[in-house]
Amino acid sequence: MIADTDGHRDDRVASLEIQLGKLARINASLMGRVERSTDLRGNAFSVFETAISLEGKVRERTADLERALGELASTNAELAQATDAADSARRRLGDAIETINEGFAIFDADDRLVLCNQTYLSLWPKVADQIVPGVRFDEILGKIGETSGMLGAMVAPDRWISERGAAHEPR
């Protein structure tokens, strides 16, 4: 019977060793899961911290953008006021020039017409529709020389144009 007991014991030990191996594998698997779970939780917390940090940066940038938009709106309002003031001044200047009884014209540094009164246009009725802001003075003279009924322009148009051009030059 001792042999039976020893055989039974050997079988029992072998069975227990097999179960111990299975339990060791299960334990390793469960420990791996726990460790991965801790890592994921750690990573999740790290991602959460990053999200909070990014939210703060987004808030800062949004505040900066709102400030910039406020400044832009303020600048646009100032620009609109300046444009209105310039338009108003231009209208007042035009009204003042129209009250002058003589022909009056203003030319810019490039000798282009900026503004003239109706009296100035009435001096040259055949080309009045061509005398518009932006046209050069020498172009106006050329048009007048070609179409005018003025004696000097009819007899010697080139001379008339050069004399008028010389009289126009700033001294």
Side-chain angles (χ1 to χ4, degrees), residues 51-69:
I52 289 173
S53 173
L54 289 174
E55 180 188 8
K57 289 180 181 179
V58 167
R59 235 183 253 147
E60 285 177 23
R61 297 277 167 87
T62 302
D64 290 344
L65 182 58
E66 287 172 351
R67 275 191 297 278
L69 287 174

Side-chain angles (χ1 to χ4, degrees), residues 95-164:
D95 291 345
I97 289 172
E98 283 300 327
T99 63
I100 298 173
N101 292 331
E102 298 177 4
F104 186 88
I106 299 173
F107 292 86
D108 66 11
D110 294 325
D111 216 15
R112 295 188 180 279
L113 181 67
V114 175
L115 189 64
C116 68
N117 64 7
Q118 287 299 314
T119 306
Y120 183 82
L121 294 175
S122 71
L123 296 172
W124 325 111
K126 292 181 181 177
V127 294
D129 61 331
Q130 299 174 49
I131 301 175
V132 294
V135 68
R136 294 184 52 83
F137 181 73
D138 59 351
E139 293 173 22
I140 294 172
L141 288 180
K143 291 172 186 180
I144 293 169
E146 293 170 3
T147 61
S148 177
M150 296 183 67
L151 183 59
M154 290 189 320
V155 173
D158 292 337
R159 182 174 161 207
W160 183 85
I161 289 171
S162 68
E163 286 175 357
R164 293 302 171 272

Side-chain angles (χ1 to χ4, degrees), residues 80-102:
Q81 287 176 345
T83 301
D84 289 346
D87 289 344
S88 178
R90 189 174 291 118
R91 281 191 303 277
R92 284 194 308 270
L93 176 62
D95 291 345
I97 289 172
E98 283 300 327
T99 63
I100 298 173
N101 292 331
E102 298 177 4

